[in-house]
Amino acid sequence: MPILVEAGWGGLVQYPWSITWTDITDRVDMVQGVAITRGASDERSETQPGSATLTLDNADGALTPGNPNSPYYPYVRKNSPIRVSMAVMPARTGAAPWPLSQMGDTFDSTSGLWASFTGGASVTGGRARIPLTPGVTSTMVSARQWKLPGASVCARLATVPTANGSSVSRSNFFVESTTAGTRLGWQHNVSTGKLRAVNLVGDVDGAPTDLDFSAIDHRWMRIRETSGLVYWETSPDGWDWTVRRTLATPAWVTSQSLVVSLNATRTGGTGDYAEWDLLGAQVRPRFYGMVNEWPVEWEGLYSKVTISATDLFKRLNRLPELRSMLGMEVLTSDTLTGLYSFLAAYYPLSEDAGSTSAGSVAGGSAGALAVTQVGAGGTLEFGTDGVPETGETAVTFTPASSAAGKYLVADLGPQTASDTTTWMPMLEVWFKTSTVSRAICGLYEQGLDHELAFVLNASGVLQIEHTESGEPRVITATSTGNLANDTWHHLVYDGSLLRIYVDGVPVGGSLAVTSSQNLRYLHVGGYRGARLFTGQIAHVALHVAQGPAGAVYAANYGASTGYSGESADSRVERLARYAGLSSVTILGSTHDQVASQGPAGSGVVARLREVEATESGRLYAERDYFGLAYQSRDVRYNPDPVDEVFTISYADLEPGLQLADDDQKLVNEVEASRPGGATQTVTAPSSVLAFGSYPQQLNVLKTTDLKVADAAYWLVSRYANPDPEIREVPVEAATMASYLDILDADISSYFTVFDLPSQALASSARVTVEGYTETIKEQSHEIQFRTSTSARDSVWILGDTVYGVLGSTTRLAY
C-alpha cells in the first residue's frame, strides 16, 4: 500500500492540466504519517475545507523556501499544489497463469516476477531502470505466466528519457505473445516525441495510433482487455484514464500465456535511461490542494518541514465578493463562446455618487471613462438606480440639450486598437431612455478612418453609423422597434455576424455594416460631442472574438432577473464559473428551481452554500483534482444494498464504536421563508409535547411557497425524533481484504456494519458517510468515518415492501 505524495512545483492549482508533478514520497516521515480530514461532522453541518498534514525530510535543504540551491527553486512557496494518493498493489491468488490485474511490483527489490534482465536493465532505487545505451537493447521480461482477457496492467513512467542526439531512440512497455514480434502495448519514440499505441505482428502495425507525447498526460500507461476489446489508455495520475485506442482482441491474447516486457533501444547519441514504477498499482486519490506554508525546523543538524495543506475551498474562500450576476456574466461569458475571445474593456458604471470617472474592471490596459463637458449645463450623476436585480448603480445623463451637457470618454489604448484589428469587436451595453435621436455609445480610430456608433433615430429605432474609409459615416437602420420607451434594454452587437441582439433576442439578420478596425476611443452617453444621451446607461463591455459570439453575450440578458427559476444544478455550475472553475461534478437528478441571487455583495462560497441549503444537497471539493462536486438530495434516497461501497463486521472495527441517542439533531418546529414569499411554520406536535420546542429558521431560495413548505416538512419529518445512530466508525483499512472498496467511500457513500453485539438494536446498521479523518503510516491506514443513519433519508414508494410500509416508511420526498 505505497503512499504517493506529489508536489506541483511551479504549477498553479487553478490550472491542473498544466502541472508537472514531482514525486516527493521518499521525503515523507511515515512514522508520524499523513493525516487527512474531509467532509462534515454530521449531515446537518456544512462540509469543511479538507486538509492534509505531513512531515517531510529537509536534510538537503531542498524544501527551504528561497534556497537558490534547491532543485525546486524558486517554487518552494505558499500555495504550491500538492496531491496525495494511495497506490494499492494487487495480490496474486490461485494458480498461474494469473490475470495481469494481479501483477504488481513496487521495485523495492528484484522480485520473482522477472525472468530476465539484459543490456544493463536493473531494479534501482524503487524503480525499474531501462538504459537507452547506443547500440544496445535493454530489457526486463517477466516470466510467462500471465493472461490479459478481462484484466489490465499499468505502470508509471517515473523518469522520461531524452533523445540526447540520437536519431532513433525508443522506450517500450509491451505485453508479448509466444511469437517473436507479435505484441501490443506502448512505444515511446524519444527522438520524435511521439507515443504510439501499437498492435504489432512481425514487428509491424499498419494502423497505429500516434500521440504527441506529454510528460503530464501520458505519465501512466495501461493496457486493458474486456468483452472482446483491447484498450490502450493513458492517465496523468493513475486514476483518471483516457482511452487512446480500441481494437478487437487479437486471437493470441485469449489463447496464450503472456509476458510483460520493459525495453529500450538507441542508435547513436549519448546514453540515458527510462524508469518505471508502481507496476500494476491501483491508485486511489486521497487529497488535492495547496500547501499553506513551508515551516523549516531543526533538531540538531536534522531538518524537517511539517506542512499543512488545504483543498479547493481555501482558494474559494479567499476570492473577493462577487459583483452582481449580471456583472459576473459579463466577466466570465467569454469562457462559454467556444472561440478565442476575451473581454477587452468592461465599465460597470457603478461608481459612487460624486465620481468624475469610471474604470474598466476587465483587467486590461483600457483607460478610464472620464466625464467630458460639451457646451454649458447639464448633469451626469453616478450612483443612481441601475438595472433591476443587480444591486449595482448606474450613471444618469441629463444634458441641457442634445449639444450641451456631459458624457463619458475613454482611450482604450493601443493594445485594444490592435485587438480590434486582429479580432472581431463585440459590444454590449444596458440603457434606459425615453428620448429619441440620441447616441448611446460609439467607437472610433484615431484618424477617424473607422467608426462604429450606436444611435436611436427619431422613432427610437436603433441605427448603426459606420465607416471604414473616413467621413461621411454610412447609416444602417435595424428593425428593433422603439427602444426609447423608458425601459431597460440590453444591446449586443456581433461584429462577426454583423448582427444586433436586443434583450437576448436577435433582431433581423446580417446588417450591411462595414468592417471595424483599430478602434481605440470609446464614447458613452453621446458621440463625438453630439446627440448627448438622456437617461441611464450601465454595464458597457467590449469583447473581441475570432468568430460569432454575440449569442453568448446576448444570453446575459437573463441576468437582469438573477436567473430566477433556473435549476439548482445550473446555478451551481454558473457560480462555479464565476469562481474560475471550468466544470463541476453534478450528482443526482432532483434539482428544484432556485430564486435570484442577483445583487452584488457576497462571496461565491456563500452563494453556493445558499443553494446547498435550499436543496438539502451536499457541496464539497473533489479529492482527485481541482474541482467541485454537488450532490442533490436524492443521491441519498433509499440506498440499495447492491450500491453499498463495502460491508464490514463489527469484529473488524477498531475500538470506539458508539450508538448515540441525544437531541443534537432534533428539530420539531420550522419557520420557513423565501425571498418575496410567505413565512410558514411546520411543526411535529407529538415531538414538541415529548421533548419541548426545538425551533429552527429556514430561509431558502425557493420560487414558490409550496416548495418552501416541502423543504420545511422534509426537515421536520427527518429530525422530529431522530433514531439512535452510529456516528463514528473506526477502521484499520490496510488490513482489510476490502481495502480498495473502503478507499472508494466518500461523502454520501454508505456501508453496513454487521454482526453487531447483542445489546445493539439490530444485528446490522447501514450508515452514510458524512466525512472522515484518516492517518496513513507505514503498513497502517486508520480511517475514522463520521456517519449518520442511512434510514433517515428513506422516502416513500407506493407498494414497496420496504419503503411503502404505512406509519413506518411513509416520508414523502420533495
Side-chain angles (χ1 to χ4, degrees), residues 336-354:
L336 302 175
T337 65
L339 302 166
Y340 180 80
S341 61
F342 63 91
L343 187 61
Y346 172 34
Y347 300 92
L349 300 178
S350 57
E351 278 76 9
D352 294 335

Side-chain angles (χ1 to χ4, degrees), residues 481-665:
N482 179 22
L483 300 181
N485 58 357
D486 202 28
T487 299
W488 279 103
H489 291 292
H490 181 224
L491 170 67
V492 171
Y493 169 72
D494 186 324
S496 176
L497 290 178
L498 302 178
R499 175 171 290 178
I500 288 291
Y501 298 79
V502 173
D503 299 342
V505 179
V507 179
S510 182
L511 300 167
V513 177
T514 54
S515 65
S516 302
Q517 299 180 18
N518 204 31
L519 302 176
R520 175 166 177 171
Y521 298 95
L522 170 67
H523 289 184
V524 175
Y527 185 61
R528 293 178 57 196
R531 288 172 292 181
L532 300 181
F533 187 81
T534 298
Q536 294 174 287
I537 295 179
H539 302 286
V540 179
L542 175 65
H543 308 261
V544 292
Q546 66 179 175
V552 172
Y553 306 131
N556 293 345
Y557 177 69
S560 63
T561 63
Y563 296 102
S564 180
E566 73 176 338
S567 61
D569 56 327
S570 296
R571 179 64 57 81
V572 169
E573 290 176 326
R574 187 181 303 281
L575 294 172
R577 170 159 52 89
Y578 295 170
L581 301 177
S582 58
S583 65
V584 56
T585 302
I586 301 294
L587 304 168
S589 58
T590 299
H591 305 290
D592 286 351
Q593 294 178 328
V594 291
S596 167
Q597 293 173 289
S602 58
V604 68
V605 173
R607 295 196 191 191
L608 285 166
R609 293 299 189 192
E610 286 179 339
V611 179
E612 177 189 33
T614 294
E615 293 298 287
S616 295
R618 226 34 175 170
L619 181 79
Y620 54 90
E622 298 278 15
R623 59 184 177 183
D624 62 323
Y625 76 104
F626 187 75
L628 276 177
Y630 171 74
Q631 298 174 348
S632 66
R633 58 186 176 273
D634 70 321
V635 167
R636 299 185 175 210
Y637 287 174
N638 300 352
D640 191 321
V642 300
D643 294 326
E644 286 186 324
V645 179
F646 65 94
T647 61
I648 190 166
S649 170
Y650 166 75
D652 289 329
L653 300 180
E654 296 298 292
L657 190 72
Q658 293 183 351
L659 187 70
D661 183 26
D662 53 33
D663 63 355
Q664 175 181 318
K665 300 178 182 180

Side-chain angles (χ1 to χ4, degrees), residues 17 97 182 314 359 480 569 632 703 753 803:
W17 56 87
T182 299
K314 175 184 178 180
T480 63
D569 56 327
S632 66
T703 56
V753 180
Y803 299 111

Side-chain angles (χ1 to χ4, degrees), residues 134-148:
V136 176
T137 298
S138 306
T139 64
M140 278 179 62
V141 182
S142 75
R144 189 170 294 281
Q145 52 192 10
W146 303 97
K147 55 185 179 182
L148 180 57

Side-chain angles (χ1 to χ4, degrees), residues 7 185 244 305 410 492 495 636 669 706 755 800 804:
R244 303 298 185 177
V305 178
V492 171
R636 299 185 175 210
E669 184 176 318
L706 180 59
D755 287 343
D800 189 275

Side-chain angles (χ1 to χ4, degrees), residues 201-249:
V201 177
D203 282 323
V204 175
D205 185 344
T209 296
D210 283 337
L211 308 169
D212 291 327
F213 177 75
S214 166
I216 296 175
D217 296 332
H218 306 146
R219 179 69 71 175
W220 290 76
M221 303 176 204
R222 181 166 76 178
I223 297 294
R224 178 170 60 91
E225 199 281 342
T226 183
S227 303
L229 292 174
V230 175
Y231 297 87
W232 286 255
E233 298 166 308
T234 64
S235 172
D237 55 9
W239 165 251
D240 188 16
W241 294 92
T242 300
V243 175
R244 303 298 185 177
R245 183 183 181 183
T246 307
L247 188 72
T249 304

